[in-house]
Amino acid sequence: MTAAAAVDADDQGLGFQRDTAARYTVIPVPDAAVADDAADKLSRLLADLVAFPTESRTPNVELIRWVADHIESNGGRATVLEADEGRANLLASFGPSEPGGLMLSGHTDVVPAGGGWASDPYSVTRIDDSLFGRGTADMKGFVASALAAVPDLL
């Protein structure tokens, strides 16, 4: 495939990536079993996070410590910064301790659930191909995705 064709394919989202020598390589698409395993892992992480009732202005330190443990058990470094009333922030890093890198930022609080839920808002419910629960479409979904990627960062 020519570089021009690879650029066109990449623009169409067909899985081509430019490497450092300005050549193009094909990024393999995982088979169904690998994709299913990744989806199951992500679903479990999301369910664990949603189970923490971290509504705005309520303590989140237990969730933060859980995330820190997950990061450390996968070879990362985690620092929990505790504040008043059971609130905390987390700084996590991977790789060498030097300037540069990638920063991901998020939050763990959710809006109070209120009424009208057909299921427990602090338990993930699967309906068809969707997962429902407090924070699933917000930052708890992002945090779960970032945690699922942790082993690949090392």
Side-chain angles (χ1 to χ4, degrees), residues 121-132:
Y122 293 100
S123 178
V124 170
T125 301
R126 179 184 297 270
I127 300 174
D128 298 323
D129 289 335
S130 299
L131 301 174
F132 295 88

Side-chain angles (χ1 to χ4, degrees), residues 23-127:
R23 295 182 310 263
Y24 289 85
T25 56
V26 175
I27 301 170
V29 175
D31 64 25
V34 172
D36 288 346
D37 287 346
D40 289 343
K41 178 182 177 182
L42 181 57
S43 296
R44 287 190 306 273
L45 285 167
L46 183 58
D48 288 341
L49 292 168
V50 168
F52 289 96
T54 54
E55 293 185 353
S56 324
R57 298 186 180 94
T58 62
N60 72 339
V61 71
E62 287 185 35
L63 180 146
I64 295 297
R65 287 183 185 142
W66 184 89
V67 171
D69 287 345
H70 180 83
I71 288 168
E72 290 174 340
S73 71
N74 282 281
R77 295 178 302 280
T79 303
V80 175
L81 306 170
E82 294 194 37
D84 295 335
E85 300 177 14
R87 306 288 299 157
N89 291 305
L90 174 67
L91 299 175
S93 59
F94 305 90
S97 295
E98 59 186 48
L102 171 68
M103 181 179 148
L104 303 176
S105 178
H107 62 87
T108 60
D109 62 324
V110 296
V111 174
W117 282 82
S119 62
D120 178 1
Y122 293 100
S123 178
V124 170
T125 301
R126 179 184 297 270
I127 300 174

